[in-house]
Amino acid sequence: GNGIGSMLMQKLIDFAHDNEFIEILYLEVISTNQRAIELYKKFNFVIYATDKASTKVDGQYFDNLLMRLDLNK
């Protein structure tokens, strides 16, 4: 890629840090999207739960990973 995902993620995190009422960022990603998962981990998001068989694509079920970033750490 050309870094657009990283740039956008950094802007989002910077915005959240500038707004003290935001303490934690949450996201959900399909477990097969390794590129996105690695991007989120690069920004210190951690997986805190798995939502089993929560997304259906072409008749097949996939898990979603629930991730969070604690801005106070």
Side-chain angles (χ1 to χ4, degrees):
N2 51 12
I4 291 175
S6 290
M7 182 186 71
L8 291 171
M9 183 59 65
Q10 189 60 61
K11 291 282 188 188
L12 172 69
I13 292 169
D14 291 346
F15 173 82
H17 273 294
D18 290 343
N19 292 275
E20 67 275 355
F21 61 90
I22 300 174
E23 296 180 1
I24 300 172
L25 295 176
Y26 292 93
L27 63 84
E28 187 171 342
V29 61
I30 194 166
S31 61
T32 56
N33 192 344
Q34 286 302 314
R35 193 165 172 182
I37 294 165
E38 290 307 313
L39 172 70
Y40 302 142
K41 286 182 175 180
K42 179 175 116 175
F43 284 94
N44 298 316
F45 279 82
V46 295
I47 298 167
Y48 70 92
T50 301
D51 192 2
K52 296 287 189 184
S54 58
T55 299
K56 186 177 182 180
V57 179
D58 295 327
Q60 184 176 359
Y61 288 92
F62 296 92
D63 297 345
N64 278 358
L65 302 178
L66 284 64
M67 301 181 77
R68 64 182 269 163
L69 174 64
D70 186 341
L71 298 170
N72 295 320
K73 288 188 174 181

